[in-house]
Amino acid sequence: MKVKELMDKEFVYVSQDQSIEEVATIMENRKKFTTPVVDDDMRLIGWVTSFNVTKGLREGKEKVSQIMHSKDNIVHVHENNPARMAVLEIS
């Protein structure tokens, strides 16, 4: 099985300036556990997970910028790589 067979191709993206509450609602409505964070030019600047959202709300944080992972911490795999390789990369 290849990575592309498991990839989510219908991304929802958010801004680092959006409120965590707003992003929580977006992610819940679209049934997403992760979502990319993009800048005004639609360039990837980070990533946020449902865990980050939950923790941020619990800690009283307000903006996505306070909870997101930097793009430097994102693991990249090619869509034609074996899915097993992707699992090993992120574990």
Side-chain angles (χ1 to χ4, degrees), residues 13 38-45:
Y13 56 87
V38 298
D39 65 13
D40 293 338
D41 295 320
M42 297 300 293
R43 288 182 296 214
L44 180 68
I45 59 171

Side-chain angles (χ1 to χ4, degrees), residues 33-88:
F33 293 100
T34 64
T35 189
V37 181
V38 298
D39 65 13
D40 293 338
D41 295 320
M42 297 300 293
R43 288 182 296 214
L44 180 68
I45 59 171
W47 205 266
V48 67
T49 68
S50 56
F51 175 77
N52 301 130
V53 169
T54 301
K55 185 177 178 189
L57 290 170
R58 189 181 70 245
E59 293 176 351
K61 297 188 177 168
E62 295 180 11
K63 298 288 182 185
V64 170
S65 60
Q66 297 173 289
I67 62 166
M68 69 185 217
H69 296 277
S70 140
K71 73 174 186 174
D72 297 331
N73 295 330
I74 298 172
V75 175
H76 300 271
V77 293
H78 191 273
E79 66 181 31
N80 288 320
N81 288 129
R84 180 177 169 276
M85 181 179 177
V87 171
L88 292 173

Side-chain angles (χ1 to χ4, degrees), residues 16-28:
Q16 67 179 342
D17 298 322
Q18 283 181 274
S19 75
I20 296 172
E21 286 187 18
E22 179 183 3
V23 170
T25 301
I26 291 168
M27 291 174 72
E28 180 182 1

